[in-house]
């Protein structure tokens, strides 16, 4: 019944590896996001998709590639992982993305990525 | 990048009201004011939002200044479970939501 679910919750991997984090929302929302929360606890938006179309792409290294197979899923693939990629990654979704600034964002529980 | 400023931390005694302030002096006329909170080891969760009028829901109240340059989140009776980081954000129509560092609320038993 979880509205926004992401897997895995914890991931420990070595530098240089490629890994993916999956996200699914069952709320029927049009817009999905990826946020990164680093060790200083700042939440930074990485990507935003509206109906499978990329609408926000912040200054994120191109090692990070989001993939949205349908509007209920937004996966994050990370190539050649670096130590600085260690963070908590949050997936989120909201209804009717760009057209209504009152809409609420629903967050997943986070994926704790540790690169060693 | 955050368009809001909040105190880094606040303390409250349990069962007392808490007023969490937020300044958003550059807010535009169509931006909503949203409050989210993040409990330890969890994702942020929605608390309340408003545009111009004060708002109440089961979690909290939101008092918005007449000029909309500031707002206050009011928790009427703080509980230990309210200890969290509270984020005040102004939401643009493009959903580029920018979170600041928020206010870390400690609740003292």
């Amino acid at each position: 019944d979880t509205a926004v679910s992401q897997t895995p919750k914890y991931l420990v991997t070595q530098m240089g590896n490629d890994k993916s984090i999956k996200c699914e929302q069952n709320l029927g929302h049009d817009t999905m996001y990826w946020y990164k929360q680093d060790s200083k606890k700042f939440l930074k938006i990485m990507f935003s998709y509206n109906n499978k179309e990329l609408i926000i792409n912040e200054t994120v290294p191109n090692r990070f590639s989001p993939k949205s197979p349908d509007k209920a899923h937004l996966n994050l693939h990370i190539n050649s992982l670096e130590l600085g990629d260690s963070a908590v990654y949050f997936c989120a979704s909201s209804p009717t993305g760009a057209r209504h600034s009152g809409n609420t964002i629903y967050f997943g529980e986070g994926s704790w990525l540790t690169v060693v | 990048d955050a368009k809001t400023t909040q105190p880094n931390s606040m303390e409250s005694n349990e069962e007392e009201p808490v007023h969490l302030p937020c300044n958003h002096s550059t807010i535009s006329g169509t931006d909503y004011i949203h409050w989210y909170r993040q409990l330890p080891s969890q994702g942020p969760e929605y608390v309340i939002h408003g545009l111009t009028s004060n708002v109440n829901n089961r979690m909290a109240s939101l008092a918005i200044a007449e000029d909309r340059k500031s707002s206050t989140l009011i928790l009427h009776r703080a509980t230990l479970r309210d200890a969290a980081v509270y984020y005040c954000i102004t939401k643009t129509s493009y959903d580029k939501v920018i979170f600041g560092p928020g206010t870390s609320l400690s609740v003292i038993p």
Side-chain angles (χ1 to χ4, degrees):
Chain A
D1 271 274
T2 306
V4 181
S5 58
Q6 47 185 116
T7 55
K9 188 172 175 73
Y10 300 102
L11 181 57
V12 180
T13 188
Q14 290 188 326
M15 283 175 57
N17 283 350
D18 302 339
K19 290 292 177 188
S20 293
I21 306 172
K22 295 185 177 180
C23 179
E24 176 182 5
Q25 54 95 3
N26 62 7
L27 298 167
H29 290 165
D30 295 330
T31 300
M32 295 186 71
Y33 315 80
W34 277 107
Y35 281 82
K36 178 180 179 181
Q37 188 167 43
D38 58 23
S39 57
K40 294 182 180 178
K41 304 298 184 184
F42 285 103
L43 264 169
K44 295 181 181 177
I45 190 167
M46 300 174 69
F47 302 103
S48 173
Y49 270 72
N50 181 256
N51 279 318
K52 303 196 300 174
E53 182 181 342
L54 181 66
I55 57 172
I56 293 175
N57 183 350
E58 287 299 287
T59 50
V60 176
N62 56 16
R63 298 182 294 105
F64 290 78
S65 53
K67 296 266 190 311
S68 182
D70 54 63
K71 74 173 193 176
H73 295 84
L74 181 62
N75 303 323
L76 184 65
H77 189 75
I78 315 170
N79 288 331
S80 304
L81 278 156
E82 300 177 357
L83 293 177
D85 297 332
S86 296
V88 185
Y89 292 85
F90 288 100
C91 178
S93 73
S94 73
T96 325
R99 286 177 290 280
H100 188 354
S101 68
N103 286 333
T104 301
I105 302 175
Y106 295 80
F107 286 83
E109 294 190 346
S111 295
W112 271 252
L113 172 64
T114 302
V115 182
V116 297
Chain B
D1 280 278
K3 294 189 269 187
T4 63
T5 54
Q6 302 175 248
N8 287 335
S9 61
M10 290 184 65
E11 272 188 359
S12 173
N13 293 320
E14 197 176 8
E15 298 192 2
E16 288 189 356
V18 184
H19 290 233
L20 297 163
C22 179
N23 287 319
H24 29 78
S25 57
T26 60
I27 192 171
S28 72
T30 55
D31 286 353
Y32 278 74
I33 300 152
H34 285 242
W35 283 82
Y36 288 78
R37 72 178 186 181
Q38 187 173 19
L39 301 170
S41 300
Q42 293 190 26
E45 64 174 348
Y46 167 79
V47 178
I48 200 166
H49 77 282
L51 185 61
T52 55
S53 305
N54 295 344
V55 183
N56 299 299
N57 67 19
R58 63 175 180 81
M59 289 180 74
S61 296
L62 176 60
I64 300 173
E66 199 168 329
D67 63 5
R68 298 205 337 120
K69 294 186 176 181
S70 65
S71 62
T72 302
L73 178 71
I74 302 165
L75 306 179
H76 297 286
R77 288 181 68 220
T79 69
L80 296 178
R81 288 184 298 176
D82 291 323
V85 177
Y86 287 78
Y87 298 100
C88 165
I89 60 174
T90 56
K91 193 159 177 293
T92 70
S93 60
Y94 271 102
D95 292 317
K96 187 176 175 181
V97 176
I98 298 173
F99 285 80
T103 297
S104 179
L105 175 67
S106 302
V107 179
I108 303 166

